[in-house]
Amino acid sequence: MSRSPSNILDRPLGGRGSRSSAEAAVSQSSYAYLYSELVQYHQSRVASISELERRLESSGYTVGLKVLELLAYRARETKRETRLMNILQFVSATVWKSLFGKPADSLERSIDHADEFMIVDYEPLTSTYVSVPSDLGQLSVDAYISGIIAGVLDGAGFTARVTAHSVTLEDGEAVPSSGNSNIPARKDKAVFLVKFAPEVLQRDATLDR
């Protein structure tokens, strides 16, 4: 029998999984309250949606730097990751599971642009429990997670611009079940677009030689 983490800092925010994993997670209602307060705090201090998203990204960026440091310490890792795909898999699997109790739903590479990758989450916690007012209809509250991703990547030496996008689900698109009947079915998914700096692509290409 596995034991639940005794320290709350070792627990994920929650996500899809078994009853035992849910019991080991931080209360989602507590998280939802704190995050909505964070959004309202920044909202009262900005004059535009883009500025609000930048503030959310900035808040998440700091978290991303700390998460990278914490996971490296736990793994007793002394070598820095140098390959682009490896760091993306680390973010979409290890970081995601550490924070949300599950890996991201998919990691995809752009067909049109070699420097762009997409991390997909069908139920991002940042927008699952936050209702966006009609006058802020274009606001992406998932910008906080894009900041976390950017912080992890930047801290690991992979400079990238990360943006959060809400994409409408296609007809027949398979959506993993959350196992929580209290959460209404979503009509969209979060896509985190990662666009790497040219020097990152050049370095990765050099390592292939």
Side-chain angles (χ1 to χ4, degrees), residues 2-147:
S2 60
R3 298 178 60 186
S4 300
S6 58
N7 190 330
I8 193 171
L9 296 178
D10 291 329
R11 303 178 188 177
L13 289 174
R16 296 186 286 271
S18 63
R19 177 181 175 83
S20 60
S21 63
E23 291 173 345
V26 173
S27 167
Q28 290 188 11
S29 60
S30 297
Y31 156 77
Y33 172 76
L34 290 173
Y35 187 64
S36 65
E37 288 294 306
L38 175 67
V39 174
Q40 293 178 59
Y41 171 83
H42 287 309
Q43 182 183 351
S44 65
R45 289 163 173 77
V46 300
S48 67
I49 294 176
S50 59
E51 187 178 356
L52 175 54
E53 289 181 343
R54 283 195 297 271
R55 282 178 173 254
L56 291 175
E57 288 175 359
S58 179
S59 296
Y61 183 87
T62 304
V63 173
L65 292 174
K66 295 298 183 181
V67 166
L68 175 64
E69 182 180 351
L70 176 62
L71 293 177
Y73 173 77
R74 286 177 177 172
R76 300 294 190 269
E77 187 60 63
T78 58
K79 295 183 179 180
R80 184 171 66 86
E81 182 56 65
T82 59
R83 300 313 305 265
L84 188 147
M85 284 306 302
N86 289 348
I87 194 65
L88 282 171
Q89 290 167 355
F90 171 76
V91 171
S92 62
T94 305
V95 172
W96 230 261
K97 192 169 184 178
S98 173
L99 291 175
F100 309 121
K102 67 177 185 70
D105 291 302
S106 69
L107 170 63
E108 304 169 11
R109 184 166 194 163
S110 171
I111 298 175
D112 301 319
H113 304 282
D115 60 347
E116 292 182 354
F117 295 79
M118 293 158 284
I119 298 175
V120 179
D121 194 325
Y122 285 102
E123 288 184 346
L125 284 179
T126 43
S127 57
T128 297
Y129 299 102
V130 175
S131 178
V132 179
S134 57
D135 59 328
L136 296 175
Q138 299 302 313
L139 170 66
S140 174
V141 289
D142 293 322
Y144 183 77
I145 296 181
S146 65

Side-chain angles (χ1 to χ4, degrees), residues 118-203:
M118 293 158 284
I119 298 175
V120 179
D121 194 325
Y122 285 102
E123 288 184 346
L125 284 179
T126 43
S127 57
T128 297
Y129 299 102
V130 175
S131 178
V132 179
S134 57
D135 59 328
L136 296 175
Q138 299 302 313
L139 170 66
S140 174
V141 289
D142 293 322
Y144 183 77
I145 296 181
S146 65
I148 293 177
I149 298 171
V152 172
L153 292 175
D154 206 20
F158 293 80
T159 305
R161 175 77 178 103
V162 185
T163 52
H165 306 270
S166 179
V167 179
T168 302
L169 294 174
E170 298 179 0
D171 292 338
E173 186 171 357
V175 179
S177 173
S178 66
N180 188 344
S181 59
N182 295 322
I183 301 177
R186 293 176 61 119
K187 298 180 179 180
D188 58 359
K189 61 185 175 184
V191 176
F192 300 96
L193 180 63
V194 182
K195 185 178 181 65
F196 287 101
E199 59 269 24
V200 174
L201 274 295
Q202 293 169 4
R203 183 181 67 203

